[in-house]
Amino acid sequence: MTTNTSDGLKAIVADPAGAVIGLDFDGTLSPIVPDPAAARIHPGGAEVLDRLGRLVGAVVIVTGRPAATAVEYGSLAGVPGLVVLGHYGLERWEAGALAAPPVHPGLDLARTGLVPLVAGIDGVRIEDKERSVAVHTRQAADPWVTLDALREPVAALAAGAGLVVEPGKFVLELRPPGMDKGVALSAFLGERAARSVLFAGDDLGDLPAFAAVRASGLPGVTVFSGSPEIEVEADVVVDGPPGVLELLTSIADAVEGEARGGV
């Protein structure tokens, strides 16, 4: 793990009740796998979040996945006070209840249009997330070349359907406009009157959340769950989900140690 100096970690430990811990799911809590439906949280992850949820003001997962899917794949239903903002913040899961807007009408057009776009391209698959639809090239013979070849036609299809394209590692996701992880995180920080914030992510879709941490004016920490496929400027760089969970465990240890020291 490599780190830059950050007052954010000190603020979280000194005042955990005012801290918001924000996390992406895939690539951050769960290893990236060829089939997104096979993704599960890294072993011990649910226990770490359960522990952290009892110590800090709030734990929030901000993911491109449907919120309920992240809860299921992470075995997270029992994490104290957990909030999951799915579809980049369009959905909200909290205390077992799911709130979501109507499905964008352009998604039907996108689903129909994607089929001929990817027909005959070996290794390319379409993932239907109900409120968004994604094209994955990770299993193609040359994932980067295939992704680049699809960028323009997918962007044109999205524009015609009133959607935007969220690029990521070997994925192009078509989703409704007006919401991203930065907007979602900023709103959550205001809702909880946060006094410090950490956000961990691993992909291009997490960059707006990193920017929201910096723009919040709060003591903050950005954590990049390292990947050889992209480079991101962050306060802390860790080696994938194991590194994220190691960092979260160290924060929990430090909070508990601070509490014992103050007794």
Side-chain angles (χ1 to χ4, degrees):
M1 179 175 71
T2 62
T3 67
N4 295 323
T5 302
S6 173
D7 291 335
L9 289 172
K10 296 177 182 178
I12 290 168
V13 172
D15 178 22
V20 167
I21 305 296
L23 305 158
D24 172 44
F25 188 78
D26 292 276
T28 301
L29 292 175
S30 166
I32 296 293
V33 293
D35 179 4
R40 295 296 183 271
I41 195 168
H42 190 75
E47 290 78 5
V48 173
L49 294 186
D50 183 276
R51 182 183 174 201
L52 203 59
R54 300 174 190 278
L55 296 172
V56 301
V59 175
V60 59
I61 293 175
V62 191
T63 175
R65 283 190 181 272
T69 300
V71 173
E72 177 188 352
Y73 288 5
S75 301
L76 299 174
V79 174
L82 177 71
V83 175
V84 180
L85 304 178
H87 286 296
Y88 301 89
L90 287 175
E91 290 186 341
R92 180 176 179 130
W93 180 97
E94 185 173 8
L98 181 67
V103 175
H104 191 286
L107 285 165
D108 283 339
L109 178 61
R111 292 184 185 99
T112 302
L114 282 176
V115 174
L117 279 184
V118 305
I121 308 177
D122 290 339
V124 175
R125 63 184 303 277
I126 297 172
E127 180 189 10
D128 192 341
K129 302 183 182 180
E130 185 183 4
R131 298 179 189 279
S132 67
V133 60
V135 180
H136 294 267
T137 67
R138 184 174 295 275
Q139 298 182 65
D142 193 329
W144 282 118
V145 169
T146 304
L147 189 74
D148 286 341
L150 287 171
R151 288 185 195 276
E152 187 173 334
V154 167
L157 176 61
L163 303 170
V164 296
V165 177
E166 186 74 48
K169 290 179 288 189
F170 306 128
V171 61
L172 299 170
E173 184 168 353
L174 293 80
R175 62 176 182 83
M179 179 62 75
D180 61 33
K181 291 187 180 183
V183 173
L185 181 62
S186 293
F188 190 80
L189 294 177
E191 171 194 318
R192 296 302 175 100
R195 297 186 290 274
S196 62
V197 55
L198 175 150
F199 188 85
D202 78 308
D203 207 345
L204 299 177
D206 298 305
L207 297 185
F210 284 9
V213 171
R214 292 190 288 269
S216 70
L218 301 172
V221 188
T222 55
V223 180
F224 180 59
S225 180
S227 163
E229 292 148 4
I230 62 173
E231 293 185 6
V232 170
E233 183 178 344
D235 299 317
V236 179
V237 179
V238 299
D239 187 14
V244 171
L245 296 177
E246 179 185 355
L247 175 62
L248 297 180
T249 298
S250 71
I251 291 172
D253 289 344
V255 170
E256 290 178 343
E258 186 80 4
R260 286 194 296 269
V263 173

